[in-house]
Amino acid sequence: MRQHPDNNRLSTGDALFLYLEREGMPLNVASISIFEGNISRQLCSRFIESKLPLIPRYRQRLRKSPFNIGIPEWEFDPEFDIRNHVREVSLREGTEAELKSVAGKILSTVMDRHHPLWDFTVVHGLEHNCTAIITRIHHCLADGLAGVDLLNTIMDSTPEVRPLPKKRTTFPISSPKKGTLLDELVGSSVALAERALNAQVGLFNVFQRILMAAVHANGNSNGNHLDEKPLASLPSADQLARLMPEVTAATQRLPFNVICRGPQSFAWSEIPLADLKAVKNACGVTINDVALTIMAATIRCYSVLRGVNPKGRLLRIVIPVSVRTNGHAHDLGNQITFLPVTLPLEISKPLKWLAAIRERIAFLKGAHLAECVSIFGTMLGTIPTAAQELMGRIVSQIPLGLCNLIFTNVPGPEAPLYLHGHKMLRCYPYVPIGGDIGINCAMLTYNGTAYFGFTGDVHAAPDLRRLEKLLKASFSELKQAAGVSKRRISPGHKPTVTHAQTSKKNPAKMRTDPKAFETVGNIDPEEQSEREVHPRVAIGA
């Protein structure tokens, strides 16, 4: 993993995850991985310690500037001890349900900022002679793509067992940096000036790209092409008139949009990647379009089960978008912006969901909304650090209503990974929740399977596990509507999904009636009892 030794100061985006964090709302990127065989804590510690020279940031802690004049910096922890970062727990029954419960408790805690912000928890006693490892890193250290890169760096790509150091690795201890107040003032002023300049440059670049897109759309190109991806044409007047009201409308709260207080719960599901690709090829869309369609349909069904009437309602899902360039693909830190996708919640047919999502994402890309969001984030960086921290504490506890949920899709390793010869069988991603966003979801592809991880506040989503069944039911409906479940799709067959096609050719309907789910067996008795025990969370509470 690459980091810049000459500039250890956090970026504005990285620091934001520090300021928003509070008790009950930890902001970590995490995963729950299942490995073959028994892995002891000692073996895990020695294995990870052998990889630390590749990740210097794992030996660094945060240092705050005096009086919060500047953004925190990374410094090497003189008291670093691997034993502070590798722990172990044992399950009593060894079931998957118990593992989810243990994971929820661990992920609900805030990490100690006096030490490097990462840890591994080895979970023993899992059935089928397997070991689970819960991995956490603070969001200020890495985003989803950087987290996957860290996973690739730590794990082995082959089952070959290499000898590990018999003794604990010792690292040179560097004295913590001690700057004067004047140094901090100068450094903070320079950093603020740089962020203001970056915001102006970013704004200029967006206007330039919009102008180039307009020229490209009108066919007035002079033949001089920049070395970059083709630009999307500007949205038409008809698109603006039809979609702009949805984009500018306020977020309409769903039952799980309440202030997160903790603790958190965790649930997961999985879908073969080949099945996702079959739908993608059959409909001529992207994997992200398919995944977002499944998620939108799942949340619609879940909301209906929670008593929401979808007619006339809107669903807003925010998608993190990577802004990493080829030269910074392996850098640590956060290099993302956000794309808010607003959809009519009353859509019930799977192919109509897919067509609506594809149309709206194309519209938002043409409007360069992601770039505008990025510039807004950069402008926030021009606010003094002390004010940012104070604002973060307040913002995390008020219902801003920015969106209903966040859904992130992270491409993971395509081949198996190993921990000292133990194959990683499954890997479920975890994305934090916060503010009034009581449910979030992440999808990670690994070794031929798409793994979905649902995070929920126990008060906002007491029946989070219901989403596991609903996700698979929603995908089953989409497969059936796309014709994938009945015939084999040839590689060259890629029909395009349009609104006209969905209105004529899709007899399949989403089963949004709770009774329909119960009759087809998509809600098990345990979930039925949960629905009866837990009180419903009122919309707008």
Side-chain angles (χ1 to χ4, degrees), residues 179-210:
T180 64
L181 184 58
L182 179 61
D183 293 335
E184 296 291 344
L185 285 171
V186 172
S188 177
S189 300
V190 172
L192 280 172
E194 289 178 350
R195 293 196 292 272
L197 180 61
N198 289 338
Q200 295 178 14
V201 172
L203 188 62
F204 172 78
N205 289 337
V206 168
F207 283 131
Q208 184 182 45
R209 289 177 65 84
I210 292 174

PDB file of all heavy atoms in Angstrom, residues 179-210:
ATOM      1  N   GLY A 179       5.692  20.064  17.148  1.00  0.00           N
ATOM      2  CA  GLY A 179       5.774  21.334  16.448  1.00  0.00           C
ATOM      3  C   GLY A 179       5.366  22.485  17.348  1.00  0.00           C
ATOM      4  O   GLY A 179       4.591  22.312  18.287  1.00  0.00           O
ATOM      5  N   THR A 180       5.863  23.653  17.031  1.00  0.00           N
ATOM      6  CA  THR A 180       5.486  24.830  17.797  1.00  0.00           C
ATOM      7  C   THR A 180       4.118  25.315  17.350  1.00  0.00           C
ATOM      8  O   THR A 180       3.594  24.921  16.301  1.00  0.00           O
ATOM      9  CB  THR A 180       6.520  25.948  17.603  1.00  0.00           C
ATOM     10  OG1 THR A 180       6.510  26.347  16.217  1.00  0.00           O
ATOM     11  CG2 THR A 180       7.920  25.464  17.969  1.00  0.00           C
ATOM     12  N   LEU A 181       3.518  26.169  18.157  1.00  0.00           N
ATOM     13  CA  LEU A 181       2.219  26.732  17.814  1.00  0.00           C
ATOM     14  C   LEU A 181       2.302  27.521  16.514  1.00  0.00           C
ATOM     15  O   LEU A 181       1.378  27.487  15.696  1.00  0.00           O
ATOM     16  CB  LEU A 181       1.725  27.626  18.956  1.00  0.00           C
ATOM     17  CG  LEU A 181       0.324  28.231  18.797  1.00  0.00           C
ATOM     18  CD1 LEU A 181      -0.716  27.133  18.631  1.00  0.00           C
ATOM     19  CD2 LEU A 181       0.000  29.121  19.990  1.00  0.00           C
ATOM     20  N   LEU A 182       3.425  28.189  16.311  1.00  0.00           N
ATOM     21  CA  LEU A 182       3.607  28.944  15.072  1.00  0.00           C
ATOM     22  C   LEU A 182       3.643  28.009  13.866  1.00  0.00           C
ATOM     23  O   LEU A 182       3.049  28.308  12.818  1.00  0.00           O
ATOM     24  CB  LEU A 182       4.896  29.771  15.147  1.00  0.00           C
ATOM     25  CG  LEU A 182       5.239  30.596  13.899  1.00  0.00           C
ATOM     26  CD1 LEU A 182       4.130  31.613  13.623  1.00  0.00           C
ATOM     27  CD2 LEU A 182       6.591  31.302  14.084  1.00  0.00           C
ATOM     28  N   ASP A 183       4.330  26.874  14.020  1.00  0.00           N
ATOM     29  CA  ASP A 183       4.364  25.891  12.930  1.00  0.00           C
ATOM     30  C   ASP A 183       2.960  25.411  12.587  1.00  0.00           C
ATOM     31  O   ASP A 183       2.604  25.260  11.411  1.00  0.00           O
ATOM     32  CB  ASP A 183       5.238  24.694  13.324  1.00  0.00           C
ATOM     33  CG  ASP A 183       6.707  25.054  13.450  1.00  0.00           C
ATOM     34  OD1 ASP A 183       7.112  26.033  12.795  1.00  0.00           O
ATOM     35  OD2 ASP A 183       7.426  24.361  14.199  1.00  0.00           O
ATOM     36  N   GLU A 184       2.167  25.167  13.619  1.00  0.00           N
ATOM     37  CA  GLU A 184       0.800  24.694  13.386  1.00  0.00           C
ATOM     38  C   GLU A 184      -0.031  25.761  12.676  1.00  0.00           C
ATOM     39  O   GLU A 184      -0.819  25.452  11.776  1.00  0.00           O
ATOM     40  CB  GLU A 184       0.141  24.316  14.713  1.00  0.00           C
ATOM     41  CG  GLU A 184       0.786  23.149  15.433  1.00  0.00           C
ATOM     42  CD  GLU A 184       0.574  21.836  14.705  1.00  0.00           C
ATOM     43  OE1 GLU A 184      -0.310  21.775  13.831  1.00  0.00           O
ATOM     44  OE2 GLU A 184       1.291  20.870  15.004  1.00  0.00           O
ATOM     45  N   LEU A 185       0.132  27.019  13.083  1.00  0.00           N
ATOM     46  CA  LEU A 185      -0.628  28.098  12.451  1.00  0.00           C
ATOM     47  C   LEU A 185      -0.247  28.243  10.984  1.00  0.00           C
ATOM     48  O   LEU A 185      -1.118  28.394  10.114  1.00  0.00           O
ATOM     49  CB  LEU A 185      -0.378  29.418  13.192  1.00  0.00           C
ATOM     50  CG  LEU A 185      -1.069  29.579  14.550  1.00  0.00           C
ATOM     51  CD1 LEU A 185      -0.556  30.817  15.264  1.00  0.00           C
ATOM     52  CD2 LEU A 185      -2.585  29.670  14.365  1.00  0.00           C
ATOM     53  N   VAL A 186       1.043  28.186  10.701  1.00  0.00           N
ATOM     54  CA  VAL A 186       1.500  28.314   9.313  1.00  0.00           C
ATOM     55  C   VAL A 186       1.013  27.134   8.481  1.00  0.00           C
ATOM     56  O   VAL A 186       0.493  27.298   7.371  1.00  0.00           O
ATOM     57  CB  VAL A 186       3.042  28.424   9.261  1.00  0.00           C
ATOM     58  CG1 VAL A 186       3.524  28.365   7.817  1.00  0.00           C
ATOM     59  CG2 VAL A 186       3.508  29.709   9.922  1.00  0.00           C
ATOM     60  N   GLY A 187       1.181  25.925   9.032  1.00  0.00           N
ATOM     61  CA  GLY A 187       0.752  24.737   8.302  1.00  0.00           C
ATOM     62  C   GLY A 187      -0.737  24.723   8.035  1.00  0.00           C
ATOM     63  O   GLY A 187      -1.192  24.357   6.950  1.00  0.00           O
ATOM     64  N   SER A 188      -1.519  25.143   9.025  1.00  0.00           N
ATOM     65  CA  SER A 188      -2.965  25.183   8.861  1.00  0.00           C
ATOM     66  C   SER A 188      -3.373  26.218   7.822  1.00  0.00           C
ATOM     67  O   SER A 188      -4.266  25.977   7.001  1.00  0.00           O
ATOM     68  CB  SER A 188      -3.631  25.502  10.203  1.00  0.00           C
ATOM     69  OG  SER A 188      -5.023  25.617  10.062  1.00  0.00           O
ATOM     70  N   SER A 189      -2.725  27.373   7.822  1.00  0.00           N
ATOM     71  CA  SER A 189      -3.045  28.421   6.847  1.00  0.00           C
ATOM     72  C   SER A 189      -2.733  27.956   5.431  1.00  0.00           C
ATOM     73  O   SER A 189      -3.519  28.181   4.499  1.00  0.00           O
ATOM     74  CB  SER A 189      -2.264  29.700   7.170  1.00  0.00           C
ATOM     75  OG  SER A 189      -2.587  30.174   8.460  1.00  0.00           O
ATOM     76  N   VAL A 190      -1.591  27.321   5.268  1.00  0.00           N
ATOM     77  CA  VAL A 190      -1.214  26.813   3.944  1.00  0.00           C
ATOM     78  C   VAL A 190      -2.218  25.756   3.470  1.00  0.00           C
ATOM     79  O   VAL A 190      -2.634  25.742   2.305  1.00  0.00           O
ATOM     80  CB  VAL A 190       0.213  26.242   3.977  1.00  0.00           C
ATOM     81  CG1 VAL A 190       0.536  25.526   2.660  1.00  0.00           C
ATOM     82  CG2 VAL A 190       1.229  27.339   4.238  1.00  0.00           C
ATOM     83  N   ALA A 191      -2.606  24.857   4.393  1.00  0.00           N
ATOM     84  CA  ALA A 191      -3.555  23.802   4.030  1.00  0.00           C
ATOM     85  C   ALA A 191      -4.912  24.390   3.626  1.00  0.00           C
ATOM     86  O   ALA A 191      -5.526  23.934   2.664  1.00  0.00           O
ATOM     87  CB  ALA A 191      -3.728  22.839   5.198  1.00  0.00           C
ATOM     88  N   LEU A 192      -5.378  25.412   4.350  1.00  0.00           N
ATOM     89  CA  LEU A 192      -6.643  26.050   3.998  1.00  0.00           C
ATOM     90  C   LEU A 192      -6.560  26.706   2.630  1.00  0.00           C
ATOM     91  O   LEU A 192      -7.500  26.626   1.823  1.00  0.00           O
ATOM     92  CB  LEU A 192      -7.015  27.091   5.054  1.00  0.00           C
ATOM     93  CG  LEU A 192      -7.647  26.579   6.348  1.00  0.00           C
ATOM     94  CD1 LEU A 192      -7.774  27.709   7.359  1.00  0.00           C
ATOM     95  CD2 LEU A 192      -9.004  25.958   6.073  1.00  0.00           C
ATOM     96  N   ALA A 193      -5.431  27.353   2.352  1.00  0.00           N
ATOM     97  CA  ALA A 193      -5.261  27.995   1.045  1.00  0.00           C
ATOM     98  C   ALA A 193      -5.254  26.953  -0.070  1.00  0.00           C
ATOM     99  O   ALA A 193      -5.844  27.162  -1.137  1.00  0.00           O
ATOM    100  CB  ALA A 193      -3.958  28.796   1.025  1.00  0.00           C
ATOM    101  N   GLU A 194      -4.599  25.812   0.183  1.00  0.00           N
ATOM    102  CA  GLU A 194      -4.566  24.750  -0.825  1.00  0.00           C
ATOM    103  C   GLU A 194      -5.964  24.204  -1.094  1.00  0.00           C
ATOM    104  O   GLU A 194      -6.336  23.966  -2.252  1.00  0.00           O
ATOM    105  CB  GLU A 194      -3.646  23.620  -0.364  1.00  0.00           C
ATOM    106  CG  GLU A 194      -2.167  23.984  -0.384  1.00  0.00           C
ATOM    107  CD  GLU A 194      -1.302  22.845   0.139  1.00  0.00           C
ATOM    108  OE1 GLU A 194      -1.869  21.873   0.689  1.00  0.00           O
ATOM    109  OE2 GLU A 194      -0.059  22.927  -0.014  1.00  0.00           O
ATOM    110  N   ARG A 195      -6.755  24.008  -0.027  1.00  0.00           N
ATOM    111  CA  ARG A 195      -8.098  23.470  -0.216  1.00  0.00           C
ATOM    112  C   ARG A 195      -8.998  24.463  -0.963  1.00  0.00           C
ATOM    113  O   ARG A 195      -9.818  24.062  -1.791  1.00  0.00           O
ATOM    114  CB  ARG A 195      -8.705  23.095   1.134  1.00  0.00           C
ATOM    115  CG  ARG A 195      -7.986  21.916   1.796  1.00  0.00           C
ATOM    116  CD  ARG A 195      -8.821  21.324   2.918  1.00  0.00           C
ATOM    117  NE  ARG A 195      -8.958  22.209   4.054  1.00  0.00           N
ATOM    118  CZ  ARG A 195      -8.096  22.263   5.071  1.00  0.00           C
ATOM    119  NH1 ARG A 195      -7.026  21.477   5.077  1.00  0.00           N
ATOM    120  NH2 ARG A 195      -8.297  23.077   6.088  1.00  0.00           N
ATOM    121  N   ALA A 196      -8.857  25.759  -0.671  1.00  0.00           N
ATOM    122  CA  ALA A 196      -9.633  26.767  -1.391  1.00  0.00           C
ATOM    123  C   ALA A 196      -9.256  26.788  -2.865  1.00  0.00           C
ATOM    124  O   ALA A 196     -10.123  26.884  -3.749  1.00  0.00           O
ATOM    125  CB  ALA A 196      -9.414  28.146  -0.757  1.00  0.00           C
ATOM    126  N   LEU A 197      -7.956  26.671  -3.149  1.00  0.00           N
ATOM    127  CA  LEU A 197      -7.497  26.643  -4.535  1.00  0.00           C
ATOM    128  C   LEU A 197      -8.008  25.398  -5.253  1.00  0.00           C
ATOM    129  O   LEU A 197      -8.443  25.466  -6.408  1.00  0.00           O
ATOM    130  CB  LEU A 197      -5.972  26.701  -4.578  1.00  0.00           C
ATOM    131  CG  LEU A 197      -5.329  26.688  -5.976  1.00  0.00           C
ATOM    132  CD1 LEU A 197      -5.786  27.912  -6.771  1.00  0.00           C
ATOM    133  CD2 LEU A 197      -3.807  26.673  -5.867  1.00  0.00           C
ATOM    134  N   ASN A 198      -7.984  24.246  -4.553  1.00  0.00           N
ATOM    135  CA  ASN A 198      -8.483  23.007  -5.151  1.00  0.00           C
ATOM    136  C   ASN A 198      -9.969  23.116  -5.484  1.00  0.00           C
ATOM    137  O   ASN A 198     -10.419  22.583  -6.501  1.00  0.00           O
ATOM    138  CB  ASN A 198      -8.246  21.836  -4.198  1.00  0.00           C
ATOM    139  CG  ASN A 198      -6.778  21.459  -4.089  1.00  0.00           C
ATOM    140  OD1 ASN A 198      -5.990  21.755  -4.985  1.00  0.00           O
ATOM    141  ND2 ASN A 198      -6.409  20.818  -2.994  1.00  0.00           N
ATOM    142  N   ALA A 199     -10.716  23.784  -4.619  1.00  0.00           N
ATOM    143  CA  ALA A 199     -12.149  23.960  -4.880  1.00  0.00           C
ATOM    144  C   ALA A 199     -12.373  24.797  -6.140  1.00  0.00           C
ATOM    145  O   ALA A 199     -13.232  24.481  -6.964  1.00  0.00           O
ATOM    146  CB  ALA A 199     -12.822  24.618  -3.680  1.00  0.00           C
ATOM    147  N   GLN A 200     -11.576  25.861  -6.310  1.00  0.00           N
ATOM    148  CA  GLN A 200     -11.716  26.702  -7.502  1.00  0.00           C
ATOM    149  C   GLN A 200     -11.329  25.931  -8.761  1.00  0.00           C
ATOM    150  O   GLN A 200     -12.014  26.017  -9.788  1.00  0.00           O
ATOM    151  CB  GLN A 200     -10.847  27.949  -7.353  1.00  0.00           C
ATOM    152  CG  GLN A 200     -11.280  28.881  -6.235  1.00  0.00           C
ATOM    153  CD  GLN A 200     -10.357  30.077  -6.092  1.00  0.00           C
ATOM    154  OE1 GLN A 200      -9.550  30.360  -6.970  1.00  0.00           O
ATOM    155  NE2 GLN A 200     -10.474  30.789  -4.971  1.00  0.00           N
ATOM    156  N   VAL A 201     -10.240  25.160  -8.677  1.00  0.00           N
ATOM    157  CA  VAL A 201      -9.812  24.363  -9.831  1.00  0.00           C
ATOM    158  C   VAL A 201     -10.866  23.313 -10.176  1.00  0.00           C
ATOM    159  O   VAL A 201     -11.187  23.083 -11.340  1.00  0.00           O
ATOM    160  CB  VAL A 201      -8.452  23.692  -9.543  1.00  0.00           C
ATOM    161  CG1 VAL A 201      -8.091  22.708 -10.649  1.00  0.00           C
ATOM    162  CG2 VAL A 201      -7.362  24.749  -9.400  1.00  0.00           C
ATOM    163  N   GLY A 202     -11.423  22.682  -9.136  1.00  0.00           N
ATOM    164  CA  GLY A 202     -12.456  21.675  -9.367  1.00  0.00           C
ATOM    165  C   GLY A 202     -13.679  22.270 -10.033  1.00  0.00           C
ATOM    166  O   GLY A 202     -14.261  21.674 -10.944  1.00  0.00           O
ATOM    167  N   LEU A 203     -14.090  23.451  -9.593  1.00  0.00           N
ATOM    168  CA  LEU A 203     -15.241  24.115 -10.187  1.00  0.00           C
ATOM    169  C   LEU A 203     -14.972  24.455 -11.654  1.00  0.00           C
ATOM    170  O   LEU A 203     -15.840  24.258 -12.521  1.00  0.00           O
ATOM    171  CB  LEU A 203     -15.564  25.387  -9.395  1.00  0.00           C
ATOM    172  CG  LEU A 203     -16.862  26.116  -9.758  1.00  0.00           C
ATOM    173  CD1 LEU A 203     -18.060  25.213  -9.504  1.00  0.00           C
ATOM    174  CD2 LEU A 203     -16.985  27.403  -8.946  1.00  0.00           C
ATOM    175  N   PHE A 204     -13.779  24.919 -11.933  1.00  0.00           N
ATOM    176  CA  PHE A 204     -13.411  25.245 -13.319  1.00  0.00           C
ATOM    177  C   PHE A 204     -13.428  23.981 -14.182  1.00  0.00           C
ATOM    178  O   PHE A 204     -13.919  23.998 -15.327  1.00  0.00           O
ATOM    179  CB  PHE A 204     -12.020  25.887 -13.343  1.00  0.00           C
ATOM    180  CG  PHE A 204     -11.471  26.085 -14.738  1.00  0.00           C
ATOM    181  CD1 PHE A 204     -11.917  27.139 -15.529  1.00  0.00           C
ATOM    182  CD2 PHE A 204     -10.528  25.208 -15.256  1.00  0.00           C
ATOM    183  CE1 PHE A 204     -11.418  27.307 -16.816  1.00  0.00           C
ATOM    184  CE2 PHE A 204     -10.028  25.376 -16.531  1.00  0.00           C
ATOM    185  CZ  PHE A 204     -10.474  26.438 -17.315  1.00  0.00           C
ATOM    186  N   ASN A 205     -12.925  22.871 -13.646  1.00  0.00           N
ATOM    187  CA  ASN A 205     -12.892  21.622 -14.409  1.00  0.00           C
ATOM    188  C   ASN A 205     -14.289  21.116 -14.732  1.00  0.00           C
ATOM    189  O   ASN A 205     -14.538  20.581 -15.814  1.00  0.00           O
ATOM    190  CB  ASN A 205     -12.108  20.553 -13.647  1.00  0.00           C
ATOM    191  CG  ASN A 205     -10.617  20.829 -13.619  1.00  0.00           C
ATOM    192  OD1 ASN A 205     -10.101  21.548 -14.479  1.00  0.00           O
ATOM    193  ND2 ASN A 205      -9.922  20.273 -12.636  1.00  0.00           N
ATOM    194  N   VAL A 206     -15.214  21.257 -13.767  1.00  0.00           N
ATOM    195  CA  VAL A 206     -16.584  20.813 -14.023  1.00  0.00           C
ATOM    196  C   VAL A 206     -17.202  21.635 -15.144  1.00  0.00           C
ATOM    197  O   VAL A 206     -17.829  21.090 -16.060  1.00  0.00           O
ATOM    198  CB  VAL A 206     -17.433  20.913 -12.746  1.00  0.00           C
ATOM    199  CG1 VAL A 206     -18.918  20.726 -13.076  1.00  0.00           C
ATOM    200  CG2 VAL A 206     -17.004  19.861 -11.743  1.00  0.00           C
ATOM    201  N   PHE A 207     -17.042  22.949 -15.100  1.00  0.00           N
ATOM    202  CA  PHE A 207     -17.581  23.793 -16.170  1.00  0.00           C
ATOM    203  C   PHE A 207     -16.951  23.435 -17.517  1.00  0.00           C
ATOM    204  O   PHE A 207     -17.622  23.432 -18.554  1.00  0.00           O
ATOM    205  CB  PHE A 207     -17.337  25.271 -15.855  1.00  0.00           C
ATOM    206  CG  PHE A 207     -18.284  25.842 -14.835  1.00  0.00           C
ATOM    207  CD1 PHE A 207     -17.829  26.569 -13.754  1.00  0.00           C
ATOM    208  CD2 PHE A 207     -19.653  25.645 -14.961  1.00  0.00           C
ATOM    209  CE1 PHE A 207     -18.699  27.094 -12.825  1.00  0.00           C
ATOM    210  CE2 PHE A 207     -20.541  26.161 -14.028  1.00  0.00           C
ATOM    211  CZ  PHE A 207     -20.062  26.892 -12.962  1.00  0.00           C
ATOM    212  N   GLN A 208     -15.651  23.128 -17.494  1.00  0.00           N
ATOM    213  CA  GLN A 208     -14.968  22.750 -18.733  1.00  0.00           C
ATOM    214  C   GLN A 208     -15.535  21.448 -19.298  1.00  0.00           C
ATOM    215  O   GLN A 208     -15.778  21.328 -20.500  1.00  0.00           O
ATOM    216  CB  GLN A 208     -13.468  22.608 -18.478  1.00  0.00           C
ATOM    217  CG  GLN A 208     -12.657  22.316 -19.730  1.00  0.00           C
ATOM    218  CD  GLN A 208     -11.188  22.132 -19.421  1.00  0.00           C
ATOM    219  OE1 GLN A 208     -10.842  21.451 -18.470  1.00  0.00           O
ATOM    220  NE2 GLN A 208     -10.325  22.740 -20.229  1.00  0.00           N
ATOM    221  N   ARG A 209     -15.785  20.472 -18.411  1.00  0.00           N
ATOM    222  CA  ARG A 209     -16.323  19.196 -18.857  1.00  0.00           C
ATOM    223  C   ARG A 209     -17.752  19.351 -19.377  1.00  0.00           C
ATOM    224  O   ARG A 209     -18.147  18.710 -20.348  1.00  0.00           O
ATOM    225  CB  ARG A 209     -16.286  18.186 -17.710  1.00  0.00           C
ATOM    226  CG  ARG A 209     -14.885  17.706 -17.350  1.00  0.00           C
ATOM    227  CD  ARG A 209     -14.924  16.760 -16.165  1.00  0.00           C
ATOM    228  NE  ARG A 209     -15.649  15.534 -16.494  1.00  0.00           N
ATOM    229  CZ  ARG A 209     -15.122  14.486 -17.097  1.00  0.00           C
ATOM    230  NH1 ARG A 209     -13.849  14.511 -17.474  1.00  0.00           N
ATOM    231  NH2 ARG A 209     -15.839  13.407 -17.346  1.00  0.00           N
ATOM    232  N   ILE A 210     -18.542  20.208 -18.733  1.00  0.00           N
ATOM    233  CA  ILE A 210     -19.900  20.452 -19.207  1.00  0.00           C
ATOM    234  C   ILE A 210     -19.871  21.084 -20.594  1.00  0.00           C
ATOM    235  O   ILE A 210     -20.641  20.708 -21.499  1.00  0.00           O
ATOM    236  CB  ILE A 210     -20.666  21.353 -18.217  1.00  0.00           C
ATOM    237  CG1 ILE A 210     -20.924  20.593 -16.905  1.00  0.00           C
ATOM    238  CG2 ILE A 210     -21.989  21.819 -18.810  1.00  0.00           C
ATOM    239  CD1 ILE A 210     -21.541  21.438 -15.818  1.00  0.00           C
TER     240      ILE A 210
END
